[in-house]
Amino acid sequence: MRLRLGVGFSAGTTLMELMVVLAILAVVLSVVVPGFERLFASSRVYSEARILLNAVYLTRAEAIKRNLPVTMCPTDESVTNSDGCGDSYAVGWMIFLNPSRARHPKRKADILAVHDSTGSAVTVLNRAGTRSANERITYYGGGTAHRNLTLMVCSTIGSSVDSWSVVLNIVGRPRFARAWGKCPDEA
């Protein structure tokens, strides 16, 4: 059985109909794509901040378990090629046994954990957002760090994405905080 199309009906689309559909598609994509970029950046910031918080918990747990000072510090280059502490948690970090309270690990065997964050599109700043956070965090056998500190994770796409912070109180208890500080426009 064959269907007959009435007079004036065609089986295809016209060029004008195709142009209208493409114009609508272009408008929808121009609205949706920036929102996805912000969503992905927000997800990266949260993920890296959560990894940083877990590293602080690990540092504290190792200090309590071993009853020795354990230090977490940033690294400058790829963690696999670095023996010492550096200037930016955004690049990576390491956790090492530190009974002598040195600035860098004495031996490779003292390094307990490492993390390489290269390519993560985030930066780690102080709470004011004025400089890179590069402070060493040393926990002692009792689980205290004897300092207040905030490590604020910001997106490199700017301040339109909320920061996530790892906040240490004077006793050394870490906590997680959203928008605890203000990220600069160009991190």
Side-chain angles (χ1 to χ4, degrees):
M1 176 162 113
R2 284 179 55 171
L3 282 175
R4 285 171 99 187
L5 296 176
V7 177
F9 292 105
S10 68
T13 59
T14 65
L15 181 59
M16 185 57 93
E17 292 169 333
L18 185 61
M19 295 291 282
V20 169
V21 169
L22 288 176
I24 292 171
L25 185 63
V27 169
V28 168
L29 285 176
S30 69
V31 171
V32 172
V33 168
F36 278 123
E37 181 183 65
R38 187 171 181 271
L39 178 69
F40 291 140
S42 178
S43 177
R44 271 187 243 119
V45 167
Y46 177 81
S47 176
E48 284 296 320
R50 183 56 75 177
I51 290 169
L52 196 58
L53 177 66
N54 289 338
V56 171
Y57 279 132
L58 176 64
T59 305
R60 186 177 190 205
E62 288 292 330
I64 293 168
K65 178 177 90 175
R66 296 168 188 268
N67 197 25
L68 290 171
V70 177
T71 299
M72 178 177 158
C73 70
T75 59
D76 269 341
E77 47 193 77
S78 174
V79 176
T80 56
N81 297 327
S82 177
D83 289 340
C85 297
D87 293 329
S88 177
Y89 280 101
V91 176
W93 47 258
M94 75 171 72
I95 299 170
F96 62 95
L97 290 175
N98 197 1
S100 63
R101 299 182 185 158
R103 295 191 50 80
H104 302 284
K106 297 277 185 190
R107 306 170 297 151
K108 284 262 192 207
D110 290 339
I111 298 174
L112 302 174
V114 293
H115 178 72
D116 191 358
S117 295
T118 54
S120 65
V122 299
T123 186
V124 182
L125 305 171
N126 65 343
R127 182 174 179 199
T130 55
R131 64 177 173 74
S132 181
N134 60 0
E135 294 86 357
R136 289 163 182 75
I137 302 167
T138 300
Y139 278 98
Y140 301 95
T144 61
H146 304 297
R147 68 178 306 174
N148 291 322
L149 180 66
T150 298
L151 302 173
M152 182 175 63
V153 181
C154 295
S155 174
T156 56
I157 69 166
S159 63
S160 66
V161 176
D162 283 344
S163 67
W164 281 92
S165 298
V166 176
V167 183
L168 300 171
N169 65 12
I170 194 72
V171 178
R173 184 185 66 83
R175 69 180 174 92
F176 210 41
R178 183 176 189 179
W180 182 248
K182 178 84 170 110
C183 293
D185 287 332
E186 294 297 321

